[in-house]
Amino acid sequence: MTNPSAMHRRLGLTDAVTIGLGSMIGAGIFVVFAPAAASAGAWLPLALVLAAVVALCNALSSAQLAAQYPVAGGSYVYGRERLGPWPGFFAGWCFLTGKTASCAAMAMTFAAYVVPEPWQRPVAALAVLGVVAVNCFGVTRTASATKVLVGIVLAGLAVVLVAGLFAGSGPAASTFGAAPPGGAYGVLQAGGLLFFAFAGYARIATMGEEVRDPARIIPRAIVISLSAVLVIYGVLAVLSLHVLGPEALSRTTTPLADLAAVADWPWTTVVVTIAAAAATLGALLGLTAGIGRTGLAMARTADLPAPLAVLDERHGVPRRIEIVVAAVVVIAVFTMDVRGVVGFSSFGVLLYYLVANLSALTQTGPHRRYPRAVSVLGTVLCVVLVVTLPIASVAGGVLVLALGIVYRGMRVRRR
């Protein structure tokens, strides 16, 4: 008899890498650079490297775990298997809440680039509904749509890069040695905000039940996609600082549009708009798919309502969860601010990876692919970046986390 909650393995290495790229490219470039520059100033590249180191440690721990547990759910499953039900729920809840905020941020950023302010929230809501509709028709369609969007984004970024290089030196040329506005704390805070830009590789691990030969493909896909995004982010961060200067960069809401405009090529505005729209839609595709898979895993173990564990018979996707996610994200779009949700998202995702690193520390024998020091460093840096996030983000994250703990406590008592 066919298991109604079993998923099909349809994704290859190219599909997995593309979904990882689509989930990452967009957040850091089109959302995070400005608030990070406000904290780190000309030291933005150092904060970017810090965020990348944390992401790399988390990625290697996740890859090691995904090879042993190639099922949907990511760190939720890893936490349950290695540490127990409560740590697993902690990871899953942090992922669901943090990534729901990320979806809202991506939808709002998409609307900000394509329509005037009065129309932005309704258009953002429509974007969410459209993306979830694509996901509901199967993971292969999600991967195919993401490939198209990633291609558009990379082409647009290439144009922006050329425009920035033609612009020459800017006001930042003499300020690269200046102290960061917030000191060392500001660099750490910027690193925490920039981590938001790298978290997309988790989508690959959460879709482990749909990847062919997951023990081989998942680790490779995570490292490849993360490395590619780091190169892209690094080049654009340095170029933005060099051309615009840290002060101007910290004030803008459209850093790449401003960078391209310096070259005085009128058509670049259209290119950046198209690239931003494609990037945010690609990220939204990957994010909603990942949330659905983690929610599916949590529903299978009764940490979420059991009816959410049912898959669509024809397309093999968790359609019920996708619809619930769409409803929650639409509410967030109409009630939250795009800058505020970035910090809230980083809070949840960093704690999610804290569980991943702690889980990887318990692996032994043939399942240990990387030195234990990688997971130790990832654990320490996740904690450091969490406590240096903006106070409002930390307070909101703690409140939502407490609500999740109370919710599970009530379900456990009823069982």
Side-chain angles (χ1 to χ4, degrees):
M1 182 176 178
T2 302
N3 184 352
S5 66
M7 307 187 79
H8 303 291
R9 299 193 182 279
R10 297 169 175 169
L11 301 179
L13 177 62
T14 301
D15 296 321
V17 170
T18 302
I19 289 174
L21 289 174
S23 298
M24 284 185 278
I25 293 178
I29 297 175
F30 296 102
V31 180
V32 181
F33 275 11
S39 297
W43 290 70
L44 178 65
L46 177 60
L48 185 66
V49 171
L50 174 62
V53 170
V54 180
L56 178 60
C57 291
N58 296 345
L60 294 179
S61 291
S62 297
Q64 181 173 281
L65 288 159
Q68 184 177 357
Y69 303 104
V71 296
S75 291
Y76 170 70
V77 173
Y78 313 149
R80 285 184 63 90
E81 294 291 333
R82 308 301 307 182
L83 305 175
W86 272 104
F89 175 82
F90 180 89
W93 188 258
C94 286
F95 181 89
L96 291 180
T97 56
K99 287 307 175 182
T100 297
S102 296
C103 288
M106 290 298 95
M108 294 163 71
T109 302
F110 164 78
Y113 273 89
V114 300
V115 295
E117 200 281 330
W119 293 94
Q120 288 176 8
R121 293 187 188 272
V123 169
L126 289 174
V128 172
L129 297 177
V131 164
V132 170
V134 172
N135 280 336
C136 284
F137 283 102
V139 68
T140 53
R141 287 175 173 79
T142 298
S144 299
T146 303
K147 288 177 184 178
V148 174
L149 294 173
V150 169
I152 295 172
V153 174
L154 292 178
L157 294 180
V159 172
V160 173
L161 177 62
V162 172
L165 291 173
F166 271 87
S169 299
S174 61
T175 60
F176 272 109
Y185 181 88
V187 175
L188 291 173
Q189 186 175 94
L193 294 171
L194 286 166
F195 179 77
F196 173 80
F198 289 98
Y201 58 81
R203 303 297 73 69
I204 302 170
T206 59
M207 302 178 78
E209 197 169 328
E210 297 160 277
V211 174
R212 300 189 301 268
D213 193 6
R216 181 181 65 88
I217 288 179
I218 290 177
R220 292 176 61 190
I222 288 175
V223 173
I224 291 171
S225 59
L226 179 62
S227 300
V229 169
L230 175 59
V231 172
I232 295 170
Y233 284 4
V235 171
L236 288 170
V238 172
L239 192 59
S240 297
L241 282 171
H242 191 63
V243 174
L244 301 177
E247 292 187 7
L249 181 59
S250 67
R251 292 193 301 266
T252 183
T253 57
T254 55
L256 291 193
D258 291 359
L259 174 61
V262 174
D264 200 24
W265 298 343
W267 52 272
T268 56
T269 301
V270 177
V271 172
V272 173
T273 299
I274 294 174
T280 49
L281 285 179
L284 194 57
L285 268 172
L287 286 167
T288 53
I291 293 172
R293 274 63 182 176
T294 298
L296 173 68
M298 295 181 72
R300 285 170 172 173
T301 54
D303 278 337
L304 289 179
L308 296 179
V310 177
L311 294 175
D312 177 76
E313 293 183 0
R314 179 178 179 184
H315 300 289
V317 296
R319 178 172 294 181
R320 295 181 182 180
I321 296 178
E322 298 277 5
I323 294 172
V324 172
V325 168
V328 175
V329 174
V330 167
I331 293 172
V333 161
F334 284 104
T335 59
M336 301 179 72
D337 175 77
V338 66
R339 289 180 178 267
V341 297
V342 169
F344 180 86
S345 175
S346 292
F347 177 88
V349 177
L350 283 166
L351 290 180
Y352 170 84
Y353 283 113
L354 173 63
V355 175
N357 283 299
L358 291 173
S359 299
L361 281 172
T362 68
Q363 289 180 287
T364 58
H367 300 300
R368 174 156 295 284
R369 294 167 173 253
Y370 309 106
R372 195 178 298 272
V374 170
S375 299
V376 172
L377 181 60
T379 298
V380 172
L381 291 178
C382 280
V383 174
V384 170
L385 293 189
V386 161
V387 299
T388 55
L389 286 170
I391 299 298
S393 299
V394 175
V398 170
L399 176 61
V400 172
L401 182 59
L403 292 175
I405 292 173
V406 171
Y407 164 77
R408 186 175 193 272
M410 294 173 62
R411 289 186 65 86
V412 168
R413 288 188 63 183
R414 283 201 298 269
R415 291 203 297 267

